[in-house]
Amino acid sequence: MKQSIRRAAVLGSGIMGSGIAAHLANIGIPTLMLDIVPKQLTKEEEQKGLTLKDPIVRNRIAAQSKKALLKQKPSPITTKESLDLIEIGNMEDDMEKLADVDWIIEVVVENLEIKKNVLANIDKYRKQGTIVSSNTSGVSIEAMSIECSEDFRKHFLGTHFFNPPRYMKLLEIIPTKDTEPQVLEFMKRFGENVLGKGVVVAKDTPNFIANRIGTYGLLVTVQEMLKGKYSVGEVDSVTGPLIGRPKSATFRTLDVVGLDTFINVAHNVFEQVEGKEKELFSVPGFMLKMQEKGWLGAKSGQGFYLKKKDKAGSMIYELNPETFEYEDRKKLKTAAIEMAKQQKGSHRKLKTLLSQKGDRAGDFVWSILKPVLIYSAELTGEIADDILAIDNAMKWGFGWEHGPFETWDAIGLRASVERMQAEGETIPEWVLQFLADGNESFYKKDNGNVYYYDKGTYKQNVVNKKEINLRLLKDVQGVIKKNTGASLIDLGDGVACLEFHSKSNAIGLDIIQMVNFAIEEVDKNFEGLVIGNQGKNFCVGANLAMMLMEAQDDNFFELDMVIRHFQNMTMVIKYANKPVVVAPFNITVGGGAEVTLPAASIQASVETYMGLVEFGVGLIPGGGGTKELYLKQLRQLPKGINFDLSKVANDVFEKVATAKVSTSAAEAREYGFLDQGDRISVNPDHLLHDAKENVLSLANSGYRPPKPEKIPVVGDAGYAAMVLGAKNLYLSGYASEHDLKIAEKLAYVLSGGRIKEGTEIDEQAMLDLEREAFLSLIGEPKTQQRMQHMLLKGKPLRN
């Protein structure tokens, strides 16, 4: 089967449908988005003399949904230009257009009969071989397609995106007994390589994998909370990062998802299961009462939490489920929690927490974890073929750091099963047989490969060839060299990778030393270098705490030396003889951006939030960031045409002075952080592979380092214009006196000093200006206050 998806159609333009259409548009797939025809006119339409026959009326629902994409937060679109790829219409006038698409996604209301009718209608218009899928969180995939044609059924399956589609990694694919194996295989590859998802194949059972186990786990947590008389805040204080779960923990997650959505998902399972399991999916009465009151969470302004503003600022209160009053938020504080916090890694934290029997926190976590582990084992084979699919679904769909079976391994499988049995629990027979056969863990590692237990044997976890796992790679090959801040690793095929692994990947002298070593080593023994890592964020910038301490101790000689080393490092990256490709992702700010900008090429993850944010802590970029952003934007201008240099300088001035950060890699390109030659990876798991291929492409095309650049600057006139703009903001009350001082320093750097407009200066001259401005600002008490506030509070101070 030779299949490709060049155009798509989404039927249903609600939050989910429009979100899927936006995701497709984000990755460059033109998408037709259709919805129903309105049954009546709005008052505005009546006033305009429109009728139900006018196209603007008939397409109104899809048009409103498309427009709403601009206002949603977090934004479903990576750039406003994505909207140009979404064509709107309706499901009466535009069905013929389905013959021109390669994939049709039905995303209408969660009702079997309605879905059957829509699919039957699609069947009339689709061309043979077109893939059709239903996005549903629980309606039977097979039941909705049973009356469709044979070719339709062969090319039909479920594709359950998680909300919001742009950000959530999990895509559950649900084939039916009629789905052709080639169609399933194609959609798995397409899901990973093009949509950028983590794909799991699920069985056609109620709520599939992640929602089945996740909903069960949430209901168990609520029931145990009521039984043990814990508060909402106490539960959230121990069901988040402490046990390897997202910060939103339990009840903040429910507030974000929406209580009505959660109840619908739980009710879907409740209707389709029997006996004890049916009881478990019965929603507690107080949650139904919350739904009646409209306390649904973030969408209604209150739920399990309520945010109130008073003179002291914003305060968050938690709901008391018995009194329905909002009270001060509480946190659980016990000896087991303190012991767990001392451990490194969520595995050790969880194991320590559970080991403290009789502790109020340890007992609670055990009481909610135990049933989820047993339930996951009971459902293995029923909701998914293997434990790997279940673990991945929970990690990618619910943000768990470790899936149920990985968790079982972490806390000690045999010991925990013995504890469960001692407490009267019934363990699935296959788990007992697994232990009786002498096995101790569901997963094993060997020679850089991961193996998982499946039906009497261990199978290798065969991942997409584009996935590079640095941790496994280092286990097999070791490292070329490492220090506390970074490691140099051989990626194979003549490409090395410099991995940052300091706290928050902040740049200090250790990383600077490793960059310099890496460039030298690559020059001698490799084709090129990737600078990338697999931490939470690429790099949060330079080590702010270290710089603040040096400034407070008046160690300006030390600071001057560090900044010189940092600047030299960025120049070494820029002028390396072999190509250096930087692979930023997530937060890439300050020094992280300064490392990225001078690279031969940037291979950015689609979710890259890049910016020069030093202004927020009372500084300006000191490592060459201002210079490189300015040069990068100058390079985008056409050759041989006169242009207004001041416009470029003003644009860079504004971006740095407002600490502008891109909300995607596409927006980073719009801001000038990426140029047209830089590349974007949709799947974050493929980022290092793509960066490696980028290096090899540059090397194979005869890469030569750039020649040292002369920088045309705006001089005195440009300086005056930039400062005038900053003074107007100050006089209007939008900027403080200290903001103005920082802005003047930034303008001085960008203008090249007090020189004539159009003068060309060396890069080192601008670097010297950056360094001098940085050092003068870091000595200011108000800058040090800003730095301290950022370190303590995690947000900027306006002083």
Side-chain angles (χ1 to χ4, degrees), residues 397-424:
F398 275 73
W400 293 10
E401 195 173 330
H402 311 286
F405 297 96
E406 291 173 327
T407 300
W408 221 332
D409 280 356
I411 64 174
L413 176 59
R414 190 175 295 277
S416 60
V417 166
E418 288 171 358
R419 181 176 173 183
M420 291 172 186
Q421 288 178 309
E423 293 171 2

PDB file of all heavy atoms in Angstrom, residues 397-424:
ATOM      1  N   GLY A 397      -0.250  10.143  27.969  1.00  0.00           N
ATOM      2  CA  GLY A 397      -1.594  10.713  28.059  1.00  0.00           C
ATOM      3  C   GLY A 397      -1.874  11.428  29.363  1.00  0.00           C
ATOM      4  O   GLY A 397      -2.642  12.395  29.401  1.00  0.00           O
ATOM      5  N   PHE A 398      -1.254  10.957  30.456  1.00  0.00           N
ATOM      6  CA  PHE A 398      -1.524  11.546  31.777  1.00  0.00           C
ATOM      7  C   PHE A 398      -0.288  12.170  32.409  1.00  0.00           C
ATOM      8  O   PHE A 398      -0.347  12.659  33.530  1.00  0.00           O
ATOM      9  CB  PHE A 398      -2.121  10.486  32.711  1.00  0.00           C
ATOM     10  CG  PHE A 398      -3.617  10.346  32.574  1.00  0.00           C
ATOM     11  CD1 PHE A 398      -4.169   9.734  31.465  1.00  0.00           C
ATOM     12  CD2 PHE A 398      -4.476  10.856  33.527  1.00  0.00           C
ATOM     13  CE1 PHE A 398      -5.549   9.622  31.310  1.00  0.00           C
ATOM     14  CE2 PHE A 398      -5.851  10.757  33.394  1.00  0.00           C
ATOM     15  CZ  PHE A 398      -6.392  10.131  32.280  1.00  0.00           C
ATOM     16  N   GLY A 399       0.838  12.137  31.684  1.00  0.00           N
ATOM     17  CA  GLY A 399       2.039  12.793  32.201  1.00  0.00           C
ATOM     18  C   GLY A 399       2.700  12.077  33.357  1.00  0.00           C
ATOM     19  O   GLY A 399       3.476  12.679  34.100  1.00  0.00           O
ATOM     20  N   TRP A 400       2.393  10.765  33.529  1.00  0.00           N
ATOM     21  CA  TRP A 400       3.089  10.014  34.571  1.00  0.00           C
ATOM     22  C   TRP A 400       4.540   9.827  34.151  1.00  0.00           C
ATOM     23  O   TRP A 400       4.834   9.528  32.987  1.00  0.00           O
ATOM     24  CB  TRP A 400       2.448   8.641  34.762  1.00  0.00           C
ATOM     25  CG  TRP A 400       1.057   8.673  35.325  1.00  0.00           C
ATOM     26  CD1 TRP A 400       0.263   9.770  35.499  1.00  0.00           C
ATOM     27  CD2 TRP A 400       0.297   7.547  35.762  1.00  0.00           C
ATOM     28  NE1 TRP A 400      -0.953   9.401  36.021  1.00  0.00           N
ATOM     29  CE2 TRP A 400      -0.970   8.049  36.197  1.00  0.00           C
ATOM     30  CE3 TRP A 400       0.528   6.179  35.831  1.00  0.00           C
ATOM     31  CZ2 TRP A 400      -1.971   7.213  36.688  1.00  0.00           C
ATOM     32  CZ3 TRP A 400      -0.468   5.341  36.325  1.00  0.00           C
ATOM     33  CH2 TRP A 400      -1.696   5.855  36.760  1.00  0.00           C
ATOM     34  N   GLU A 401       5.453   9.977  35.087  1.00  0.00           N
ATOM     35  CA  GLU A 401       6.864   9.776  34.765  1.00  0.00           C
ATOM     36  C   GLU A 401       7.139   8.311  34.472  1.00  0.00           C
ATOM     37  O   GLU A 401       7.987   7.963  33.650  1.00  0.00           O
ATOM     38  CB  GLU A 401       7.740  10.261  35.927  1.00  0.00           C
ATOM     39  CG  GLU A 401       9.191  10.426  35.555  1.00  0.00           C
ATOM     40  CD  GLU A 401      10.007  11.072  36.666  1.00  0.00           C
ATOM     41  OE1 GLU A 401       9.462  11.881  37.438  1.00  0.00           O
ATOM     42  OE2 GLU A 401      11.205  10.751  36.740  1.00  0.00           O
ATOM     43  N   HIS A 402       6.405   7.433  35.160  1.00  0.00           N
ATOM     44  CA  HIS A 402       6.575   5.989  34.979  1.00  0.00           C
ATOM     45  C   HIS A 402       5.198   5.352  34.880  1.00  0.00           C
ATOM     46  O   HIS A 402       4.291   5.689  35.635  1.00  0.00           O
ATOM     47  CB  HIS A 402       7.344   5.379  36.150  1.00  0.00           C
ATOM     48  CG  HIS A 402       8.599   6.118  36.488  1.00  0.00           C
ATOM     49  ND1 HIS A 402       9.736   6.048  35.710  1.00  0.00           N
ATOM     50  CD2 HIS A 402       8.890   6.990  37.490  1.00  0.00           C
ATOM     51  CE1 HIS A 402      10.668   6.830  36.228  1.00  0.00           C
ATOM     52  NE2 HIS A 402      10.177   7.415  37.300  1.00  0.00           N
ATOM     53  N   GLY A 403       5.048   4.415  33.946  1.00  0.00           N
ATOM     54  CA  GLY A 403       3.788   3.703  33.806  1.00  0.00           C
ATOM     55  C   GLY A 403       3.566   2.741  34.963  1.00  0.00           C
ATOM     56  O   GLY A 403       4.469   2.532  35.786  1.00  0.00           O
ATOM     57  N   PRO A 404       2.387   2.095  35.048  1.00  0.00           N
ATOM     58  CA  PRO A 404       2.080   1.200  36.179  1.00  0.00           C
ATOM     59  C   PRO A 404       3.099   0.079  36.356  1.00  0.00           C
ATOM     60  O   PRO A 404       3.507  -0.221  37.488  1.00  0.00           O
ATOM     61  CB  PRO A 404       0.704   0.637  35.808  1.00  0.00           C
ATOM     62  CG  PRO A 404       0.104   1.645  34.889  1.00  0.00           C
ATOM     63  CD  PRO A 404       1.250   2.248  34.138  1.00  0.00           C
ATOM     64  N   PHE A 405       3.522  -0.553  35.270  1.00  0.00           N
ATOM     65  CA  PHE A 405       4.431  -1.692  35.405  1.00  0.00           C
ATOM     66  C   PHE A 405       5.859  -1.242  35.683  1.00  0.00           C
ATOM     67  O   PHE A 405       6.606  -1.922  36.391  1.00  0.00           O
ATOM     68  CB  PHE A 405       4.335  -2.581  34.156  1.00  0.00           C
ATOM     69  CG  PHE A 405       2.960  -3.167  33.989  1.00  0.00           C
ATOM     70  CD1 PHE A 405       2.024  -2.557  33.166  1.00  0.00           C
ATOM     71  CD2 PHE A 405       2.590  -4.291  34.709  1.00  0.00           C
ATOM     72  CE1 PHE A 405       0.750  -3.068  33.037  1.00  0.00           C
ATOM     73  CE2 PHE A 405       1.304  -4.821  34.589  1.00  0.00           C
ATOM     74  CZ  PHE A 405       0.373  -4.204  33.756  1.00  0.00           C
ATOM     75  N   GLU A 406       6.234  -0.087  35.147  1.00  0.00           N
ATOM     76  CA  GLU A 406       7.533   0.498  35.505  1.00  0.00           C
ATOM     77  C   GLU A 406       7.534   0.876  36.986  1.00  0.00           C
ATOM     78  O   GLU A 406       8.543   0.712  37.687  1.00  0.00           O
ATOM     79  CB  GLU A 406       7.804   1.739  34.653  1.00  0.00           C
ATOM     80  CG  GLU A 406       8.048   1.443  33.186  1.00  0.00           C
ATOM     81  CD  GLU A 406       8.140   2.695  32.339  1.00  0.00           C
ATOM     82  OE1 GLU A 406       7.450   3.686  32.648  1.00  0.00           O
ATOM     83  OE2 GLU A 406       8.889   2.704  31.358  1.00  0.00           O
ATOM     84  N   THR A 407       6.399   1.375  37.462  1.00  0.00           N
ATOM     85  CA  THR A 407       6.274   1.736  38.885  1.00  0.00           C
ATOM     86  C   THR A 407       6.389   0.499  39.756  1.00  0.00           C
ATOM     87  O   THR A 407       7.069   0.516  40.797  1.00  0.00           O
ATOM     88  CB  THR A 407       4.924   2.439  39.130  1.00  0.00           C
ATOM     89  OG1 THR A 407       4.855   3.623  38.340  1.00  0.00           O
ATOM     90  CG2 THR A 407       4.746   2.789  40.599  1.00  0.00           C
ATOM     91  N   TRP A 408       5.746  -0.571  39.331  1.00  0.00           N
ATOM     92  CA  TRP A 408       5.801  -1.829  40.088  1.00  0.00           C
ATOM     93  C   TRP A 408       7.242  -2.311  40.206  1.00  0.00           C
ATOM     94  O   TRP A 408       7.688  -2.737  41.272  1.00  0.00           O
ATOM     95  CB  TRP A 408       4.932  -2.887  39.390  1.00  0.00           C
ATOM     96  CG  TRP A 408       4.120  -3.722  40.354  1.00  0.00           C
ATOM     97  CD1 TRP A 408       4.436  -4.011  41.643  1.00  0.00           C
ATOM     98  CD2 TRP A 408       2.865  -4.360  40.083  1.00  0.00           C
ATOM     99  NE1 TRP A 408       3.456  -4.794  42.210  1.00  0.00           N
ATOM    100  CE2 TRP A 408       2.478  -5.028  41.274  1.00  0.00           C
ATOM    101  CE3 TRP A 408       2.045  -4.442  38.973  1.00  0.00           C
ATOM    102  CZ2 TRP A 408       1.306  -5.775  41.366  1.00  0.00           C
ATOM    103  CZ3 TRP A 408       0.879  -5.182  39.067  1.00  0.00           C
ATOM    104  CH2 TRP A 408       0.500  -5.835  40.246  1.00  0.00           C
ATOM    105  N   ASP A 409       7.987  -2.215  39.110  1.00  0.00           N
ATOM    106  CA  ASP A 409       9.414  -2.576  39.160  1.00  0.00           C
ATOM    107  C   ASP A 409      10.163  -1.685  40.141  1.00  0.00           C
ATOM    108  O   ASP A 409      11.018  -2.148  40.902  1.00  0.00           O
ATOM    109  CB  ASP A 409      10.045  -2.410  37.775  1.00  0.00           C
ATOM    110  CG  ASP A 409       9.746  -3.576  36.836  1.00  0.00           C
ATOM    111  OD1 ASP A 409       9.105  -4.550  37.275  1.00  0.00           O
ATOM    112  OD2 ASP A 409      10.155  -3.493  35.658  1.00  0.00           O
ATOM    113  N   ALA A 410       9.844  -0.396  40.127  1.00  0.00           N
ATOM    114  CA  ALA A 410      10.582   0.579  40.930  1.00  0.00           C
ATOM    115  C   ALA A 410      10.404   0.354  42.432  1.00  0.00           C
ATOM    116  O   ALA A 410      11.342   0.528  43.209  1.00  0.00           O
ATOM    117  CB  ALA A 410      10.138   1.989  40.569  1.00  0.00           C
ATOM    118  N   ILE A 411       9.196  -0.016  42.839  1.00  0.00           N
ATOM    119  CA  ILE A 411       8.948  -0.179  44.284  1.00  0.00           C
ATOM    120  C   ILE A 411       9.286  -1.590  44.767  1.00  0.00           C
ATOM    121  O   ILE A 411       9.223  -1.869  45.969  1.00  0.00           O
ATOM    122  CB  ILE A 411       7.482   0.171  44.652  1.00  0.00           C
ATOM    123  CG1 ILE A 411       6.497  -0.787  43.978  1.00  0.00           C
ATOM    124  CG2 ILE A 411       7.171   1.610  44.277  1.00  0.00           C
ATOM    125  CD1 ILE A 411       5.043  -0.587  44.407  1.00  0.00           C
ATOM    126  N   GLY A 412       9.667  -2.468  43.847  1.00  0.00           N
ATOM    127  CA  GLY A 412       9.988  -3.844  44.207  1.00  0.00           C
ATOM    128  C   GLY A 412       8.789  -4.736  43.969  1.00  0.00           C
ATOM    129  O   GLY A 412       7.869  -4.775  44.802  1.00  0.00           O
ATOM    130  N   LEU A 413       8.775  -5.428  42.843  1.00  0.00           N
ATOM    131  CA  LEU A 413       7.591  -6.205  42.449  1.00  0.00           C
ATOM    132  C   LEU A 413       7.251  -7.282  43.463  1.00  0.00           C
ATOM    133  O   LEU A 413       6.123  -7.354  43.973  1.00  0.00           O
ATOM    134  CB  LEU A 413       7.828  -6.820  41.063  1.00  0.00           C
ATOM    135  CG  LEU A 413       6.724  -7.740  40.542  1.00  0.00           C
ATOM    136  CD1 LEU A 413       5.400  -6.994  40.446  1.00  0.00           C
ATOM    137  CD2 LEU A 413       7.111  -8.322  39.182  1.00  0.00           C
ATOM    138  N   ARG A 414       8.206  -8.141  43.798  1.00  0.00           N
ATOM    139  CA  ARG A 414       7.907  -9.280  44.674  1.00  0.00           C
ATOM    140  C   ARG A 414       7.462  -8.815  46.065  1.00  0.00           C
ATOM    141  O   ARG A 414       6.457  -9.286  46.608  1.00  0.00           O
ATOM    142  CB  ARG A 414       9.136 -10.196  44.779  1.00  0.00           C
ATOM    143  CG  ARG A 414       8.850 -11.522  45.475  1.00  0.00           C
ATOM    144  CD  ARG A 414      10.071 -12.441  45.431  1.00  0.00           C
ATOM    145  NE  ARG A 414      10.410 -12.855  44.080  1.00  0.00           N
ATOM    146  CZ  ARG A 414       9.831 -13.876  43.438  1.00  0.00           C
ATOM    147  NH1 ARG A 414       8.862 -14.569  44.043  1.00  0.00           N
ATOM    148  NH2 ARG A 414      10.216 -14.207  42.226  1.00  0.00           N
ATOM    149  N   ALA A 415       8.199  -7.865  46.624  1.00  0.00           N
ATOM    150  CA  ALA A 415       7.868  -7.386  47.974  1.00  0.00           C
ATOM    151  C   ALA A 415       6.497  -6.713  47.997  1.00  0.00           C
ATOM    152  O   ALA A 415       5.718  -6.894  48.944  1.00  0.00           O
ATOM    153  CB  ALA A 415       8.935  -6.415  48.455  1.00  0.00           C
ATOM    154  N   SER A 416       6.173  -5.939  46.960  1.00  0.00           N
ATOM    155  CA  SER A 416       4.884  -5.242  46.955  1.00  0.00           C
ATOM    156  C   SER A 416       3.726  -6.211  46.755  1.00  0.00           C
ATOM    157  O   SER A 416       2.654  -6.038  47.345  1.00  0.00           O
ATOM    158  CB  SER A 416       4.869  -4.147  45.880  1.00  0.00           C
ATOM    159  OG  SER A 416       5.078  -4.686  44.606  1.00  0.00           O
ATOM    160  N   VAL A 417       3.930  -7.246  45.943  1.00  0.00           N
ATOM    161  CA  VAL A 417       2.877  -8.264  45.761  1.00  0.00           C
ATOM    162  C   VAL A 417       2.639  -9.007  47.076  1.00  0.00           C
ATOM    163  O   VAL A 417       1.485  -9.270  47.460  1.00  0.00           O
ATOM    164  CB  VAL A 417       3.248  -9.233  44.620  1.00  0.00           C
ATOM    165  CG1 VAL A 417       2.346 -10.469  44.644  1.00  0.00           C
ATOM    166  CG2 VAL A 417       3.140  -8.533  43.268  1.00  0.00           C
ATOM    167  N   GLU A 418       3.706  -9.321  47.789  1.00  0.00           N
ATOM    168  CA  GLU A 418       3.562  -9.996  49.091  1.00  0.00           C
ATOM    169  C   GLU A 418       2.783  -9.118  50.072  1.00  0.00           C
ATOM    170  O   GLU A 418       1.929  -9.587  50.818  1.00  0.00           O
ATOM    171  CB  GLU A 418       4.938 -10.352  49.655  1.00  0.00           C
ATOM    172  CG  GLU A 418       5.617 -11.497  48.912  1.00  0.00           C
ATOM    173  CD  GLU A 418       7.057 -11.707  49.323  1.00  0.00           C
ATOM    174  OE1 GLU A 418       7.570 -10.926  50.185  1.00  0.00           O
ATOM    175  OE2 GLU A 418       7.707 -12.639  48.779  1.00  0.00           O
ATOM    176  N   ARG A 419       3.068  -7.822  50.042  1.00  0.00           N
ATOM    177  CA  ARG A 419       2.341  -6.877  50.917  1.00  0.00           C
ATOM    178  C   ARG A 419       0.865  -6.825  50.528  1.00  0.00           C
ATOM    179  O   ARG A 419      -0.018  -6.821  51.398  1.00  0.00           O
ATOM    180  CB  ARG A 419       2.982  -5.496  50.832  1.00  0.00           C
ATOM    181  CG  ARG A 419       2.312  -4.450  51.725  1.00  0.00           C
ATOM    182  CD  ARG A 419       3.062  -3.113  51.661  1.00  0.00           C
ATOM    183  NE  ARG A 419       2.336  -2.080  52.383  1.00  0.00           N
ATOM    184  CZ  ARG A 419       2.712  -0.799  52.455  1.00  0.00           C
ATOM    185  NH1 ARG A 419       3.827  -0.418  51.845  1.00  0.00           N
ATOM    186  NH2 ARG A 419       1.997   0.085  53.125  1.00  0.00           N
ATOM    187  N   MET A 420       0.582  -6.793  49.241  1.00  0.00           N
ATOM    188  CA  MET A 420      -0.806  -6.765  48.774  1.00  0.00           C
ATOM    189  C   MET A 420      -1.554  -8.021  49.216  1.00  0.00           C
ATOM    190  O   MET A 420      -2.700  -7.953  49.681  1.00  0.00           O
ATOM    191  CB  MET A 420      -0.847  -6.657  47.238  1.00  0.00           C
ATOM    192  CG  MET A 420      -0.384  -5.318  46.685  1.00  0.00           C
ATOM    193  SD  MET A 420      -0.242  -5.393  44.871  1.00  0.00           S
ATOM    194  CE  MET A 420       0.481  -3.779  44.508  1.00  0.00           C
ATOM    195  N   GLN A 421      -0.899  -9.177  49.062  1.00  0.00           N
ATOM    196  CA  GLN A 421      -1.543 -10.436  49.445  1.00  0.00           C
ATOM    197  C   GLN A 421      -1.791 -10.482  50.954  1.00  0.00           C
ATOM    198  O   GLN A 421      -2.844 -10.957  51.402  1.00  0.00           O
ATOM    199  CB  GLN A 421      -0.681 -11.616  49.011  1.00  0.00           C
ATOM    200  CG  GLN A 421      -0.684 -11.840  47.506  1.00  0.00           C
ATOM    201  CD  GLN A 421       0.221 -12.979  47.078  1.00  0.00           C
ATOM    202  OE1 GLN A 421       1.402 -13.022  47.461  1.00  0.00           O
ATOM    203  NE2 GLN A 421      -0.306 -13.904  46.307  1.00  0.00           N
ATOM    204  N   ALA A 422      -0.840  -9.952  51.720  1.00  0.00           N
ATOM    205  CA  ALA A 422      -1.008  -9.917  53.176  1.00  0.00           C
ATOM    206  C   ALA A 422      -2.184  -9.033  53.573  1.00  0.00           C
ATOM    207  O   ALA A 422      -2.804  -9.238  54.636  1.00  0.00           O
ATOM    208  CB  ALA A 422       0.280  -9.404  53.840  1.00  0.00           C
ATOM    209  N   GLU A 423      -2.508  -8.066  52.713  1.00  0.00           N
ATOM    210  CA  GLU A 423      -3.633  -7.168  52.987  1.00  0.00           C
ATOM    211  C   GLU A 423      -4.937  -7.676  52.365  1.00  0.00           C
ATOM    212  O   GLU A 423      -5.938  -6.955  52.330  1.00  0.00           O
ATOM    213  CB  GLU A 423      -3.295  -5.762  52.466  1.00  0.00           C
ATOM    214  CG  GLU A 423      -2.157  -5.107  53.257  1.00  0.00           C
ATOM    215  CD  GLU A 423      -1.662  -3.805  52.623  1.00  0.00           C
ATOM    216  OE1 GLU A 423      -2.229  -3.391  51.589  1.00  0.00           O
ATOM    217  OE2 GLU A 423      -0.715  -3.202  53.164  1.00  0.00           O
ATOM    218  N   GLY A 424      -4.905  -8.936  51.848  1.00  0.00           N
ATOM    219  CA  GLY A 424      -6.120  -9.561  51.352  1.00  0.00           C
ATOM    220  C   GLY A 424      -6.485  -9.262  49.919  1.00  0.00           C
ATOM    221  O   GLY A 424      -7.601  -9.550  49.474  1.00  0.00           O
TER     222      GLY A 424
END
